[in-house]
Amino acid sequence: QVQLVESGGGSVQAGGSLRVSCRISGYSYSSCSMGWFRQVLGREREGVAVIERDGSTHYADSVKGRFTISRDNAQNTLYLQMDSLKPTDTAMYYCAIDSRDIYCGGDYLWVPHFGYWGQGTQVTVSS
């Protein structure tokens, strides 16, 4: 069974940096992509960044130039480096694996494409 466990969240002042990690286990197929999403209480979950199986990356406009997604295949770990953090980045951050493994077209950050989710890690940015 696929398990995703996030870590590395915390509190930081605006302008600071954090790196969140996602350890993946029980994963044995080559999905279209993996990604990071975030959610604020009372609002819909939104895509932040995804990395395709060929290594291509895609970012939400709100984080372009500040966040970097990467993965370590040997360690089965997905990362999100977050720099120049803003109070508006405050949210619960989730890692996820795309359920698809054949046809990979469409919106890379579309939440319904992702069928495997971690429990989340809280990131709080104070002004």
Side-chain angles (χ1 to χ4, degrees), residues 10-11 19 33 70 90 109 112 126:
S11 297
R19 188 178 79 160
S33 66
S70 62
T90 295
L109 296 171
S126 58

Side-chain angles (χ1 to χ4, degrees), residues 30-102:
S30 180
S31 75
C32 291
S33 66
M34 301 178 180
W36 288 95
F37 298 76
R38 65 187 182 187
Q39 188 170 20
V40 175
L41 193 62
R43 297 177 61 179
E44 289 188 357
R45 192 168 296 188
E46 63 175 4
V48 175
V50 298
I51 182 166
E52 296 184 67
R53 57 189 171 200
D54 68 357
S56 302
T57 57
H58 307 275
Y59 297 91
D61 288 343
S62 59
V63 306
K64 278 181 183 175
R66 300 189 298 120
F67 289 13
T68 304
I69 188 171
S70 62
R71 68 180 178 218
D72 184 332
N73 291 331
Q75 297 294 323
N76 293 323
T77 303
L78 185 69
Y79 300 101
L80 184 68
Q81 176 67 41
M82 302 181 287
D83 299 316
S84 302
L85 281 160
K86 305 175 182 179
T88 50
D89 295 318
T90 295
M92 185 73 79
Y93 282 73
Y94 300 89
C95 62
I97 297 176
D98 196 320
S99 300
R100 305 168 301 162
D101 60 355
I102 299 177

